[in-house]
Amino acid sequence: DVAREDQIFLNDLLGVSMSESASTDLEDVNRRFNDELVRLTDENKDKIVLSLGRPSDILLAAGVSEKPMKLYGNKVIKKMRKHGFALDELKDLPRAVADPIAVFDNIGREGNRSILTELRTEQGNFLVTVDLGKDADVDFNIVSSVFGKGSSNVIDWINKGLATYINKEKAL
């Protein structure tokens, strides 16, 4: 109800679910991510790189580059300490990112998207910020941040026209 009519609601436009092979690939990526997440510690954080796989059709249509997405272990530990969430709250993150509630452009940050997921923490739904291939990681989409986001900020982003994708059912 708060979104403008010119914002994109891809779940209406696409009208199709993921192909069986894309779904299988996502499940494999999701399983490996969860396995690596359990092994992530403060001692090995600099050696672990978590894969979120390739962007889903939803993310591609919302402006995410068609490059593999990765999340550095040291970034997870840093954000976990700063924002006060537990590692196990990130379980199934690749699946949640592939089928988000919404995707937003970030004001003043070219080549960056914020992906609002259904995963929850005490501070709100997890928001995953992705930098679209730059610097030494030009061939990857890098998860630069992950934290709980309150709904009032999200509504403000919708009102400002920053949404590039909204799943109406999930957003409600």
Side-chain angles (χ1 to χ4, degrees), residues 7-172:
Q7 290 176 321
I8 300 172
F9 294 92
L10 291 178
N11 54 322
D12 291 341
L13 298 175
L14 293 175
V16 294
S17 59
M18 281 192 288
S19 72
E20 191 173 312
S21 94
S23 179
T24 302
D25 291 344
L26 177 59
E27 289 310 310
D28 289 343
V29 167
N30 197 69
R31 181 185 42 74
R32 283 191 305 273
F33 178 92
N34 289 340
D35 290 346
E36 288 292 315
L37 188 65
V38 169
R39 288 191 272 275
L40 181 61
T41 66
D42 199 39
E43 290 75 33
N44 68 9
K45 67 184 179 193
D46 292 326
K47 298 175 185 167
I48 301 255
V49 179
L50 303 160
S51 172
L52 281 75
R54 297 192 81 74
S56 64
D57 289 342
I58 290 169
L59 295 180
L60 292 172
V64 176
S65 299
E66 189 167 351
K67 299 174 182 178
M69 296 179 289
K70 65 182 179 178
L71 171 58
Y72 291 106
N74 57 8
K75 183 67 75 170
V76 174
I77 299 295
K78 178 181 175 183
K79 295 300 179 177
M80 181 182 75
R81 287 184 182 140
K82 180 177 180 180
H83 297 289
F85 60 85
L87 274 181
D88 65 339
E89 291 180 280
L90 292 177
K91 183 180 183 218
D92 297 328
L93 187 64
R95 189 184 302 144
V97 166
D99 190 16
I101 296 171
V103 180
F104 300 94
D105 283 333
N106 287 328
I107 295 176
R109 295 201 55 198
E110 196 70 31
N112 183 287
R113 295 290 183 280
S114 291
I115 303 165
L116 184 65
T117 72
E118 290 184 281
L119 295 181
R120 296 204 39 88
T121 187
E122 192 174 298
Q123 295 80 18
N125 288 68
F126 272 106
L127 186 77
V128 175
T129 304
V130 178
D131 289 331
L132 310 177
K134 65 179 190 178
D135 301 329
D137 285 309
V138 73
D139 294 330
F140 295 92
N141 292 311
I142 305 301
V143 176
S144 57
S145 192
V146 58
F147 57 93
K149 188 72 170 169
S151 60
S152 62
N153 297 74
V154 172
I155 291 168
D156 186 46
W157 290 352
I158 292 169
N159 288 335
K160 288 181 178 176
L162 298 174
T164 59
Y165 167 81
I166 298 174
N167 180 308
K168 286 192 275 191
E169 291 175 19
K170 291 180 180 185
L172 291 175

